[in-house]
Amino acid sequence: MKQLFQPDGIAVVGASSNPGKAGFVAIRNMREKGYPGKVYPVNPKETEILGYPCSPSLAEVEGHVDLVVLIMPSRMIYSVMDDLDRRMEEKGDVKFIVCAAADYAETKTPEGIDRQARLMRTAEKYGIRVVGPNCIGVIDNRSLVDTTFVDTGVPFSSFGQPSGITFISQSGALASTILMEGAGRVEPVLYNKFISIGNMADVDFVDLLNYFETDDSTRVIGIYMEGCGNGRELAETLKRVSRKKPIVVLKVGRSALGGAAANSHTGSMAGSDAVYDAMFKQTGVVRVDTIDELIDTLQAFDRLPLPGGGNLFLYSQAGGPGIYCTDAIARWPQLKMPLVSDDTKARLAATQQPMANICHPEGYADITASASVRNHVDGLQIVLQDENVDAVVFITVVPTFLPQEELARELVKMTETTPQAQEKPVFYCVMAGAYTSPARRIMEQAGLCTFDAPDKAVLAAKNMCNYAAFRRRQKED
Amino acid sequence: MKQLFQPDGIAVVGASSNPGKAGFVAIRNMREKGYPGKVYPVNPKETEILGYPCSPSLAEVEGHVDLVVLIMPSRMIYSVMDDLDRRMEEKGDVKFIVCAAADYAETKTPEGIDRQARLMRTAEKYGIRVVGPNCIGVIDNRSLVDTTFVDTGVPFSSFGQPSGITFISQSGALASTILMEGAGRVEPVLYNKFISIGNMADVDFVDLLNYFETDDSTRVIGIYMEGCGNGRELAETLKRVSRKKPIVVLKVGRSALGGAAANSHTGSMAGSDAVYDAMFKQTGVVRVDTIDELIDTLQAFDRLPLPGGGNLFLYSQAGGPGIYCTDAIARWPQLKMPLVSDDTKARLAATQQPMANICHPEGYADITASASVRNHVDGLQIVLQDENVDAVVFITVVPTFLPQEELARELVKMTETTPQAQEKPVFYCVMAGAYTSPARRIMEQAGLCTFDAPDKAVLAAKNMCNYAAFRRRQKED
């Protein structure tokens, strides 16, 4: 898989100088990211695209090519494969094909099936691995490869360092949405690696999981799944990999109707959802229900240490959101609001205003709307120092008179100077929508993990607790 | 209640010229909105605030005062009430008090209870109605009254016309969040009326529901509720009002723990959740679980016609999101993906690209990533014209090469020229985060209702279908 994510030479068949075409955006994405390797646009009608000289055919690209990206219309696959045959006879260099175009076997038409067969014939003959067809391509934000034709609308320079989140999607549209939703977050999410696998004519979940298992820059693996054929092999792979890294899956086709729709889509059999669900439980896979939960949970795993248990303290600046969050916690038997020591209670009370509610009920504090920055920060530090606390959900609504950027900076400072704040996960819920973006941006840039609603923070906490419990059980065995 | 929402003269006790104080922001909010009535800041240490001359005490305000807003520290309540006594003896004009400050009976301290008792003694003596204490105040975006000290960060001029959404919150922090989350949406939500009722020392849910029942500009009522005492009266009121207008409630204290936290907060007994839940079901109240669902559902009721039944067609531009949405629909037995006529299928197919999936499964179309603006719009129109379709969830991911603003404008145009698009609700899900904000803004400004994820669109659809069924049952009885 190395030549897929760190190829030496990329040829783009169907490259275009027309900014309204996919074959232009793929080239532009690599140019914008500063991909340091060679890019070879292939198009008989062009001489140069964005400064890269164009070749009339794949066979005529002079330099070494590890990766071929196919963005041309699917009906051209026959002549392009003939070209590739010639190239492989002469140079034998290509290791990977990413076939982005649709209108292959997923259509279930004789034409589509035949086109995919033609693609695979050359690939198999020379041992070339194929990603797709019917996908949006591959991204590696460390090697700066980006074969996708997705424009997130956010310039690459606005992103910070790549995260440890690697994502595999069976749907191109879901992949685009995950990329764009990530880009549009308060602090844009830059995925480590990102791959859309479409019809899985060749490269599949198992291949990729095997590779990401030992990929140092992958801390957590996200998957959007409709279904796949090799269930037993997938289960074994998931189980082995999830002992090392968390795997978060959004699996659709929960319902019979959804399964029917999935079958119409990538042609995959979604299979009985109960079978998948049991497989995920046995293999320690974290199954999520929504796109929001997926991205939130991936971010939490990437940024936060695993909790030592399910004792989740709820530290809130406001009563209403605190009660709302208590309900969200009470939904999950694996989470418990813990009894802290009398010493913790006394120290906590000493840092707060007289109106603050300390531990009614246990494991809960409401520091009230009049809480200052110091009230917010000092109390959180004390809670984290209690040995019965495994994790904290922190809520603030940021009242108009609380300096939100100062609060954010002080929380970052406390984290840097408090060992327990680094050893235990804190799920920071900063409510009130776009108003609090400045605070959230400061916190996220410093590596903290923020959420926009208490229920979302609790879902991520629950998912991390489940996975941590799986890891502890694995160690005991 | 008229003098609360359209007062003739507002005195603000605790007004301040310090921009860092609540007593400044309340005055500034009214100035910014252009409240046309008289505003009388009261503060013995100031002479003028934002151009309004200051009075040293409530008794000395010369003009007519319908509404008194109390933002000063709670310990000053004794002298302020003495002042008010003097004023009422002389002028007898005040009809309402909004007591925003906290630190009253909700603290359960003898001091807090005594302060609230002092407030109520004068109020009851003169028949003045009291909102609060421990609340953020009252907004009427038609009369341009705003006694809150919330800064949403969005200038008032950025909001369009007021919506038909009226909101009542028992928690001030939740109220702030609902205001700010609304302000931060793609197209800012401007509430019709907005009231935070805090401790409910006097004005409560029943009083307000009675008023909003006949308030012409209120199309839908939202409530954040922790609990209340007069259960039977509340149930009767909810039942009567919800026959005329939808009522959407976020009721916390679902869990025993949440109930305990609620009791510590506003002192209210959350009571058994099962009792509340049964009451909501019997009275046609739409109960929601999250803040996202609350705002989405309120917007849907405000903007969309009620569906004639639960036949929900799923019209998607992408397979993955389509399957994901099918799962979301299948969760609710009251929703059904309908069988459309052969004629509809043929007409639909004729408007789409050959790769489109028409009605596999029934009630579902996937028009694929290559769909043009015309494919999007024409197919939706045909689906809406089928008599078996009560409502549509429309999904697009907006591929890079689809002109999103043109799509938005064409959808608006189709709605304006298609009777069925005005008679049946369409839940537009425009995915891909901030990237698609330009399209969503055009659609929202034209009165369409957009969502950022399919599951959210389906929740709103389910809530509208439930309420429509309640209304049909009421009519039959």
Side-chain angles (χ1 to χ4, degrees):
Chain A
M1 291 288 153
K2 194 170 175 301
Q3 288 97 341
L4 177 60
F5 293 103
Q6 290 109 46
D8 179 10
I10 303 175
V12 180
V13 182
S16 171
S17 59
N18 177 350
K21 297 271 186 189
F24 177 84
V25 180
I27 304 274
R28 195 196 57 196
N29 280 349
M30 267 180 303
R31 166 72 68 197
E32 191 196 352
K33 288 192 175 174
Y35 169 63
K38 296 276 190 192
V39 176
Y40 304 105
V42 176
N43 188 330
K45 293 180 197 144
E46 309 263 4
T47 54
E48 183 236 79
I49 295 171
L50 283 170
Y52 300 109
C54 226
S55 299
S57 78
L58 202 46
E60 289 160 274
V61 172
E62 291 200 356
H64 178 89
V65 173
D66 270 345
L67 172 62
V68 170
V69 180
L70 304 180
I71 315 192
M72 76 291 161
S74 60
R75 62 186 149 70
M76 292 171 65
I77 192 71
Y78 300 96
S79 63
V80 171
M81 286 298 110
D82 291 347
D83 263 356
L84 182 57
D85 278 322
R86 278 198 295 281
R87 179 175 192 92
M88 293 306 284
E89 295 297 338
E90 287 165 26
K91 299 210 162 97
D93 51 354
V94 177
K95 311 291 186 308
F96 277 90
I97 293 172
V98 169
C99 183
D103 213 359
Y104 287 84
E106 82 281 2
T107 60
K108 293 191 190 127
T109 58
E111 297 79 17
I113 292 168
D114 193 65
R115 285 191 281 264
Q116 187 160 319
R118 178 66 194 92
L119 164 68
M120 293 310 296
R121 198 163 71 231
T122 292
E124 283 164 8
K125 183 171 172 191
Y126 301 101
I128 303 172
R129 303 296 310 267
V130 174
V131 176
N134 187 21
C135 72
I136 66 161
V138 172
I139 298 173
D140 183 328
N141 281 318
R142 293 180 195 270
S143 68
L144 304 175
V145 167
D146 185 344
T147 79
T148 73
F149 40 89
V150 174
D151 177 0
T152 64
V154 179
F156 190 65
S157 55
S158 306
F159 290 87
Q161 286 301 303
S163 67
I165 303 171
T166 288
F167 198 84
I168 311 169
S169 178
Q170 205 167 349
S171 152
L174 232 306
S176 298
T177 270
I178 303 277
L179 274 178
M180 296 202 230
E181 294 256 0
R185 289 218 161 190
V186 164
E187 174 64 18
V189 181
L190 191 61
Y191 296 93
N192 172 50
K193 294 185 174 62
F194 197 96
I195 180 163
S196 157
I197 54 179
N199 294 359
M200 294 193 288
D202 174 15
V203 170
D204 64 5
F205 292 115
V206 170
D207 294 321
L208 291 167
L209 285 165
N210 284 337
Y211 182 68
F212 297 141
E213 180 180 9
T214 56
D215 175 43
D216 287 341
S217 57
T218 295
R219 275 174 62 94
V220 53
I221 301 165
I223 296 178
Y224 166 81
M225 186 184 287
E226 296 184 359
C228 73
N230 49 350
R232 182 166 299 183
E233 200 187 354
L234 178 63
E236 281 164 11
T237 310
L238 288 171
K239 185 160 190 181
R240 197 187 65 248
V241 177
S242 73
R243 283 178 195 186
K244 296 184 192 145
K245 299 177 181 184
I247 302 172
V248 182
V249 174
L250 179 65
K251 160 77 177 67
V252 294
R254 270 192 183 275
S255 58
L257 263 185
N263 186 24
S264 293
H265 182 221
T266 39
S268 63
M269 289 306 297
S272 157
D273 191 70
V275 172
Y276 278 97
D277 208 59
M279 174 174 77
F280 296 144
K281 285 208 175 78
Q282 282 161 19
T283 57
V285 165
V286 175
R287 184 175 192 174
V288 295
D289 284 323
T290 67
I291 295 166
D292 276 352
E293 186 187 1
L294 175 68
I295 301 180
D296 284 342
T297 301
L298 289 169
Q299 293 242 73
F301 274 116
D302 182 43
R303 290 165 171 257
L304 300 179
L306 286 180
N311 280 336
L312 183 64
F313 195 98
L314 172 47
Y315 186 80
S316 179
Q317 169 267 318
I323 305 164
Y324 175 79
C325 189
T326 305
D327 279 349
I329 293 171
R331 228 168 273 167
W332 304 105
Q334 56 271 64
L335 300 179
K336 208 186 140 210
M337 282 161 59
L339 188 67
V340 297
S341 71
D342 289 344
D343 179 55
T344 295
K345 288 182 191 177
R347 289 172 61 215
L348 185 51
T351 62
Q352 300 302 320
Q353 314 234 356
M355 277 198 290
N357 161 5
I358 309 292
C359 298
H360 302 288
E362 296 293 347
Y364 176 77
D366 170 5
I367 64 173
T368 81
S370 58
S372 66
V373 168
R374 287 261 57 88
N375 294 147
H376 275 80
V377 179
D378 295 348
L380 173 62
Q381 184 182 43
I382 288 165
V383 167
L384 281 165
Q385 288 167 339
D386 189 284
E387 61 179 18
N388 271 340
V389 171
D390 297 317
V392 177
V393 172
F394 170 102
I395 301 174
T396 183
V397 175
V398 188
T400 303
F401 307 104
L402 192 73
Q404 58 168 300
E405 303 192 23
E406 185 190 328
L407 172 66
R409 282 190 296 268
E410 291 298 319
L411 288 168
V412 170
K413 206 184 288 177
M414 185 277 287
T415 307
E416 287 166 352
T417 56
T418 309
Q420 294 89 346
Q422 292 158 33
E423 294 154 9
K424 300 175 181 183
V426 181
F427 302 84
Y428 286 100
C429 173
V430 187
M431 298 179 77
Y435 176 78
T436 57
S437 296
R440 291 185 65 191
R441 219 167 278 135
I442 292 168
M443 294 167 73
E444 294 260 337
Q445 283 172 355
L448 305 187
C449 196
T450 74
F451 302 85
D452 60 11
D455 44 302
K456 295 178 187 172
V458 169
L459 270 185
K462 183 267 295 181
N463 289 334
M464 286 196 84
C465 285
N466 276 1
Y467 178 71
F470 167 79
R471 285 282 289 264
R472 284 194 299 275
R473 285 197 303 276
Q474 292 295 320
K475 270 194 193 148
E476 283 162 16
D477 286 354
Chain B
M1 292 286 155
K2 195 169 176 299
Q3 289 97 340
L4 177 60
F5 293 103
Q6 290 111 44
D8 178 11
I10 304 175
V12 181
V13 182
S16 170
S17 59
N18 176 350
K21 298 271 186 190
F24 176 84
V25 179
I27 304 275
R28 195 196 56 196
N29 279 349
M30 264 176 307
R31 165 73 65 197
E32 192 195 352
K33 289 191 175 174
Y35 169 65
K38 296 276 190 192
V39 176
Y40 305 104
V42 176
N43 187 330
K45 293 181 196 143
E46 310 265 1
T47 53
E48 182 237 81
I49 296 172
L50 284 170
Y52 299 110
C54 227
S55 299
S57 79
L58 203 45
E60 288 160 272
V61 172
E62 291 201 356
H64 178 90
V65 173
D66 270 345
L67 171 61
V68 170
V69 180
L70 304 179
I71 315 193
M72 76 294 161
S74 61
R75 62 185 150 70
M76 292 171 63
I77 192 70
Y78 300 97
S79 62
V80 171
M81 286 299 110
D82 291 347
D83 262 357
L84 182 57
D85 277 324
R86 276 198 297 281
R87 179 174 192 92
M88 292 307 284
E89 295 298 338
E90 287 166 26
K91 298 209 162 97
D93 52 355
V94 177
K95 311 290 186 308
F96 277 90
I97 294 172
V98 169
C99 182
D103 212 0
Y104 286 84
E106 82 281 1
T107 60
K108 294 192 190 125
T109 58
E111 298 78 16
I113 292 167
D114 194 65
R115 284 190 282 264
Q116 188 160 320
R118 178 66 194 89
L119 164 68
M120 292 311 296
R121 198 164 68 233
T122 293
E124 283 163 8
K125 183 171 172 191
Y126 300 101
I128 302 172
R129 303 295 310 265
V130 174
V131 175
N134 186 23
C135 70
I136 64 162
V138 171
I139 298 173
D140 183 328
N141 282 317
R142 293 180 195 270
S143 68
L144 304 174
V145 167
D146 186 344
T147 80
T148 73
F149 40 90
V150 174
D151 177 0
T152 65
V154 179
F156 190 65
S157 55
S158 306
F159 291 86
Q161 286 302 303
S163 68
I165 303 171
T166 287
F167 198 83
I168 311 170
S169 178
Q170 205 167 351
S171 152
L174 233 306
S176 298
T177 269
I178 302 276
L179 275 178
M180 296 202 230
E181 295 255 0
R185 290 220 160 187
V186 164
E187 173 64 20
V189 181
L190 190 62
Y191 296 92
N192 172 50
K193 294 185 172 63
F194 198 95
I195 179 163
S196 156
I197 54 178
N199 294 359
M200 294 193 289
D202 175 16
V203 170
D204 63 7
F205 292 114
V206 170
D207 294 319
L208 292 166
L209 285 165
N210 283 337
Y211 182 68
F212 296 141
E213 180 180 9
T214 55
D215 175 44
D216 287 339
S217 57
T218 296
R219 274 174 62 93
V220 51
I221 300 165
I223 295 179
Y224 166 82
M225 186 185 287
E226 297 184 358
C228 73
N230 48 348
R232 180 165 300 182
E233 200 187 355
L234 178 63
E236 281 165 10
T237 311
L238 288 171
K239 186 160 189 183
R240 196 188 65 250
V241 177
S242 72
R243 283 178 195 188
K244 296 184 193 145
K245 298 178 182 185
I247 303 172
V248 182
V249 174
L250 179 65
K251 159 77 176 65
V252 294
R254 270 192 184 273
S255 59
L257 263 184
N263 185 24
S264 291
H265 183 220
T266 38
S268 63
M269 289 306 296
S272 157
D273 191 70
V275 172
Y276 278 98
D277 208 58
M279 173 174 77
F280 295 145
K281 284 208 177 78
Q282 283 161 18
T283 56
V285 166
V286 175
R287 185 175 190 174
V288 295
D289 283 324
T290 68
I291 295 166
D292 275 352
E293 186 187 359
L294 175 67
I295 301 179
D296 284 341
T297 301
L298 288 170
Q299 293 242 74
F301 275 115
D302 182 43
R303 288 165 172 257
L304 301 178
L306 285 181
N311 281 337
L312 183 64
F313 195 98
L314 171 48
Y315 186 79
S316 179
Q317 169 267 318
I323 304 164
Y324 174 79
C325 189
T326 305
D327 280 349
I329 293 171
R331 226 168 274 168
W332 305 104
Q334 56 272 65
L335 300 179
K336 207 184 143 216
M337 283 160 60
L339 187 68
V340 296
S341 71
D342 289 343
D343 178 57
T344 296
K345 288 182 191 175
R347 289 172 62 216
L348 184 51
T351 61
Q352 301 301 320
Q353 314 235 356
M355 278 199 289
N357 161 4
I358 310 292
C359 297
H360 302 288
E362 296 293 346
Y364 177 76
D366 171 6
I367 64 173
T368 82
S370 58
S372 66
V373 167
R374 287 261 58 86
N375 294 147
H376 275 80
V377 178
D378 295 347
L380 173 62
Q381 183 182 43
I382 289 164
V383 166
L384 281 165
Q385 288 167 340
D386 189 282
E387 62 180 16
N388 271 340
V389 171
D390 296 318
V392 177
V393 173
F394 169 102
I395 301 175
T396 184
V397 174
V398 188
T400 303
F401 307 105
L402 191 73
Q404 58 168 299
E405 304 191 23
E406 185 190 329
L407 172 66
R409 281 190 296 268
E410 290 299 318
L411 288 168
V412 170
K413 206 183 289 176
M414 186 278 288
T415 307
E416 287 166 353
T417 56
T418 310
Q420 294 89 345
Q422 291 158 34
E423 292 154 10
K424 299 176 182 184
V426 182
F427 301 84
Y428 286 99
C429 173
V430 187
M431 299 178 77
Y435 176 77
T436 57
S437 297
R440 290 184 66 190
R441 217 167 282 133
I442 290 168
M443 294 166 73
E444 295 259 338
Q445 284 173 355
L448 305 188
C449 195
T450 74
F451 302 85
D452 61 12
D455 43 302
K456 296 178 188 172
V458 169
L459 271 185
K462 183 265 296 180
N463 289 333
M464 286 195 84
C465 285
N466 277 0
Y467 177 70
F470 167 79
R471 286 281 289 262
R472 283 194 300 273
R473 284 196 303 276
Q474 291 296 319
K475 268 192 194 152
E476 282 162 18
D477 286 355

